[in-house]
Amino acid sequence: MTDNNQEHQDKVVTGSADASPATSQEQQAAPASGKEKTSSSARGLAIVAIILALVLTAGLYWHGHNQAVAQAGQLERLQAELAQQQNALQAATAAQDARLTSLTSNQASTAEQLDGLSRKVLDLDSKRPNDWMLAEAEYLVRMAGRKLWLEQDVVAAAMMLANADERLAALNDPTLIPIRQALAEDIAGIKSVQRVDREGLVIKLNNINDQVDRLKLAGVIMARAEEPDFTLSESIGDWRDNLKKSWASFTDDFVTVRRRDGNVEALLSPQQHWYLSENLKGKLLQAQLAVYREQQEVYDSALAQAEQWLQDYFADDSVRQFMLEQIAQLEGQRIDVDYPEQFTAQDRLQQLLDDRLQRLLTGL
């Protein structure tokens, strides 16, 4: 029994001894296979990394190449535009230089012409030193026309024409005799113009206007009563009329009856009196304004209306009588004047100056 147990134990030990080498071999084989798997995955990752690096490098290269190409094209365009602008600038500079050269030459020639003209003008001035007096005479004639037609100053216009004739006389030029004759005709025409004492007329109208406030309104004016006729007829056939007249003559000492036919004007109120006075003053002021404007119709109408109002509405006293007398004197005045339309000497003087200027320019 004991021997059997011993053998069984030996078999077990022997089996255990045989099993242990096998187990150790399996344990050695397992790490070897793990290492192989790790090395293969590392190779795969390396390959993938290399491929990604190559793709990324190729993409970066392609992108950089495209940018370089675009920049090169843009640079070429900029260089072309710069060259075009430089060409245009050079052309403009050349044109400006040519223009400046032309202007310089023109200025030089103009300066030479001005110098020549100045010398010729000086020569002409030395030959005809009195031509300025002719221009002064023409200016005086023009100013005389302005004085006459704009200001209606006949005296000043005549004096200016006389001064112009003195300038022409001082020239001692026989060719100016026709112009001096025309000037004499113009002076005679001005002196023949009727002179109107406008200031005197206005002063008289102003004095009449000052008397308006002193006027008194007229009272009620009754119509004149008819006086009875008591003359007896010598005819016997008129005995009835003679009897009536005798009876009327007898009763006239007791009762008197008078018949008055006609319109009786009502008295004006104080307000109407004030309006009437102001309207009368307005008519007189209108007449004064018409004197300065030479409006004959307005002047006559204003005086006639003022005279009518004085006769109709104001009392017959010394003030009204004075105003009516003054208005009657003013009504016969002529305030409009027929002035000559133009001076005959003015056109001749202007023509003479134009001819001499034309000859001067032609000689230059």
Side-chain angles (χ1 to χ4, degrees):
M1 176 85 167
T2 306
D3 293 332
N4 294 331
N5 290 335
Q6 188 66 35
E7 291 175 359
H8 179 70
Q9 290 177 352
D10 292 333
K11 291 178 179 181
V12 171
V13 172
T14 304
S16 299
D18 295 335
S20 59
T23 304
S24 61
Q25 292 175 357
E26 293 176 355
Q27 290 177 354
Q28 291 176 359
S33 62
K35 290 180 181 179
E36 292 177 356
K37 292 180 179 180
T38 302
S39 62
S40 63
S41 61
R43 285 194 299 273
L45 292 174
I47 292 171
V48 171
I50 291 171
I51 293 171
L52 291 175
L54 291 174
V55 172
L56 181 61
T57 303
L60 291 175
Y61 174 76
W62 178 256
H63 179 69
H65 178 69
N66 291 334
Q67 285 187 347
V69 172
Q71 290 179 356
Q74 186 175 6
L75 181 60
E76 291 177 356
R77 288 194 300 272
L78 291 176
Q79 289 177 351
E81 292 178 358
L82 180 60
Q84 185 178 1
Q85 291 179 356
Q86 288 178 351
N87 293 331
L89 182 60
Q90 291 176 358
T93 303
Q96 289 181 355
D97 293 339
R99 188 180 301 174
L100 182 60
T101 303
S102 176
L103 290 175
T104 304
S105 61
N106 291 335
Q107 184 177 5
S109 62
T110 303
E112 293 178 358
Q113 292 178 359
L114 287 176
D115 292 338
L117 289 174
S118 299
R119 289 192 298 270
K120 290 182 179 180
V121 168
L122 292 176
D123 293 339
L124 291 173
D125 288 341
S126 62
K127 294 178 181 178
R128 304 183 66 89
N130 295 325
D131 282 352
W132 63 271
M133 298 181 68
L134 185 63
E136 186 177 358
E138 192 272 336
Y139 172 76
L140 288 173
V141 173
R142 283 192 290 111
M143 292 303 297
R146 293 181 181 179
K147 280 289 184 180
L148 181 63
W149 297 311
L150 297 180
E151 302 179 13
Q152 288 80 42
D153 192 348
V154 178
V155 177
M159 291 179 61
M160 288 183 177
L161 290 180
N163 290 333
D165 184 65
E166 291 177 0
R167 299 295 189 280
L168 296 180
L171 292 176
N172 196 17
D173 188 352
T175 59
L176 300 178
I177 292 178
I179 298 178
R180 294 192 61 191
Q181 290 177 352
L183 272 176
E185 294 176 358
D186 293 334
I187 295 173
I190 291 179
K191 290 183 177 180
S192 63
V193 171
Q194 179 184 359
R195 297 185 183 181
V196 179
D197 186 10
R198 305 186 189 280
E199 290 75 13
L201 294 177
V202 171
I203 291 173
K204 289 182 180 180
L205 288 170
N206 193 26
N207 291 333
I208 297 173
N209 200 354
D210 293 338
Q211 302 296 323
V212 173
D213 294 331
R214 299 177 57 190
L215 290 171
K216 297 178 182 180
L217 281 177
V220 178
I221 301 175
M222 302 298 293
R224 185 177 181 84
E226 296 180 358
E227 295 292 336
D229 186 11
F230 297 134
T231 304
L232 298 178
S233 177
E234 296 181 357
S235 178
I236 299 175
D238 296 335
W239 63 272
R240 291 182 181 180
D241 294 336
N242 292 334
L243 181 60
K244 288 179 181 180
K245 290 180 180 180
S246 298
W247 176 254
S249 178
F250 175 74
T251 58
D252 187 60
D253 296 334
F254 301 96
V255 178
T256 303
V257 178
R258 297 286 188 268
R259 180 179 296 276
R260 299 177 185 269
D261 296 330
N263 297 326
V264 179
E265 297 291 340
L267 293 176
L268 297 178
S269 65
Q271 185 177 8
Q272 291 175 336
H273 181 202
W274 183 82
Y275 284 142
L276 178 61
S277 299
E278 293 301 319
N279 287 333
L280 182 57
K281 292 179 180 179
K283 286 297 179 181
L284 294 174
L285 290 176
Q286 187 179 9
Q288 293 180 18
L289 184 61
V291 170
Y292 287 114
R293 293 182 176 178
E294 296 186 1
Q295 297 174 342
Q296 187 68 45
E297 294 182 359
V298 177
Y299 174 79
D300 294 336
S301 176
L303 290 182
Q305 187 64 55
E307 184 179 14
Q308 187 65 36
W309 286 345
L310 285 172
Q311 294 174 353
D312 293 342
Y313 297 104
F314 294 98
D316 187 9
D317 55 6
S318 59
V319 178
R320 192 190 78 160
Q321 190 65 29
F322 169 75
M323 295 176 67
L324 290 175
E325 292 176 357
Q326 293 295 318
I327 290 176
Q329 294 178 3
L330 295 176
E331 283 179 341
Q333 297 290 333
R334 297 294 301 177
I335 61 173
D336 56 342
V337 180
D338 294 331
Y339 298 105
E341 296 181 358
Q342 64 179 359
F343 295 141
T344 56
Q346 183 173 0
D347 294 337
R348 296 184 180 182
L349 278 172
Q350 186 64 45
Q351 185 64 35
L352 179 61
L353 288 175
D354 293 340
D355 292 342
R356 292 198 176 185
L357 180 61
Q358 188 67 29
R359 287 199 300 269
L360 175 64
L361 295 177
T362 303
L364 296 178

